[in-house]
Amino acid sequence: TQLLEQSPQFLSIQEGENLTVYCNSSSVFSSLQWYRQEPGEGPVLLVTVVTGGEVKKLKRLTFQFGDARKDSSLHITAAQPGDTGLYLCAGRQGAQKLVFGQGTRLTINP
Amino acid sequence: DSGVTQTPKHLITATGQRVTLRCSPRSGDLSVYWYQQSLDQGLQFLIQYYNGEERAKGNILERFSAQQFPDLHSELNLSSLELGDSALYFCASSPTVSGNYGYTFGSGTRLTVV
């Protein structure tokens, strides 16, 4: 059983469309992070959210942490081919190690 | 370049053999984490070291072991290899074990067991 469930697992859309990726859990996290991984590389940190209800924006990417700190979403506006990759959410409980979701494999078609 | 160095990048070996994967953390980071990534399992936490001491263990098999040396580099030893051990193995580092620091990942070692 995965502690963090990501949906959808796969998403293929056209350039210019908007999309939302979800990361859900029944557990509470002290913080949640989003990473992007490209083929042949390790995951790269995009953002850390700490406070329930927090919203962070990174250019066309908007990250939200749920009020109860059990879930998070990533919204991409006007997707571009360069956004293609594996998006991973990861949660931390206290001082424990990060636990990763299964990932959402995103493909943006030109 | 993330600052975390993993070697080798690729490794092909036969079943039953033993291999050692090496990781040098980003300068200044004291904590090292090892993860296994396979297609159907996602990123699975194996083990964590902080300043030379083991701090947390995940679902690491008894055939696997690791250590962190005084210069903070870490090695993951995989023995009696099986076909199912084929995967990407990532090392990550962070400054400490607490706080909300992100992990800095290396580029991984792709292990293929034949």
Side-chain angles (χ1 to χ4, degrees):
Chain A
T1 303
Q2 200 72 14
L3 188 59
L4 280 166
E5 297 285 343
Q6 286 189 241
S7 60
Q9 287 190 45
F10 300 92
L11 184 58
S12 179
I13 63 172
Q14 293 301 119
E15 181 177 1
E17 293 183 358
N18 302 330
L19 67 107
T20 302
V21 173
Y22 299 93
C23 175
N24 295 300
S25 177
S26 58
S27 301
V28 175
F29 294 99
S30 56
S31 66
L32 198 136
Q33 298 177 340
W34 285 90
Y35 291 77
R36 186 172 82 187
Q37 184 180 13
E38 299 188 27
E41 298 298 327
V44 175
L45 179 67
L46 296 174
V47 77
T48 300
V49 285
V50 178
T51 307
E54 182 177 1
V55 177
K56 279 192 174 178
K57 290 192 174 184
L58 188 67
K59 296 183 181 179
R60 293 175 295 99
L61 277 61
T62 302
F63 304 86
Q64 184 163 8
F65 201 11
D67 291 340
R69 290 186 288 130
K70 293 182 179 181
D71 54 85
S72 181
S73 64
L74 158 60
H75 182 79
I76 301 179
T77 303
Q80 299 177 0
D83 296 327
T84 293
L86 179 67
Y87 288 81
L88 296 156
C89 67
R92 176 180 274 123
Q93 295 175 310
Q96 302 302 311
K97 79 281 185 189
L98 281 178
V99 176
F100 283 82
Q102 294 275 66
T104 293
R105 197 166 293 279
L106 176 63
T107 303
I108 309 300
N109 304 300
Chain B
D1 182 8
S2 68
V4 176
T5 304
Q6 287 190 248
T7 57
K9 198 163 178 64
H10 301 277
L11 198 50
I12 302 175
T13 189
T15 54
Q17 294 299 304
R18 172 190 168 96
V19 296
T20 297
L21 312 184
R22 183 189 167 99
C23 169
S24 293
R26 192 180 61 163
S27 178
D29 286 355
L30 299 178
S31 197
V32 169
Y33 311 81
W34 285 97
Y35 282 84
Q36 180 191 57
Q37 187 177 42
S38 52
L39 282 175
D40 59 346
Q41 293 283 328
L43 266 173
Q44 298 294 315
F45 170 70
L46 294 178
I47 198 163
Q48 174 197 2
Y49 283 85
Y50 175 73
N51 206 20
E53 293 189 4
E54 182 184 305
R55 289 299 297 262
K57 248 182 177 177
N59 296 325
I60 187 168
L61 300 172
E62 285 190 12
R63 301 184 284 108
F64 296 1
S65 65
Q67 53 184 328
Q68 186 180 29
F69 295 86
D71 67 352
L72 300 179
H73 92 270
S74 178
E75 293 181 356
L76 178 67
N77 301 296
L78 315 176
S79 62
S80 303
L81 285 167
E82 302 175 358
L83 295 178
D85 297 327
S86 296
L88 271 168
Y89 291 84
F90 285 102
C91 167
S93 71
S94 68
T96 70
V97 294
S98 59
N100 293 313
Y101 293 103
Y103 290 4
T104 302
F105 282 83
S107 296
T109 294
R110 182 176 292 279
L111 173 66
T112 302
V113 183
V114 297

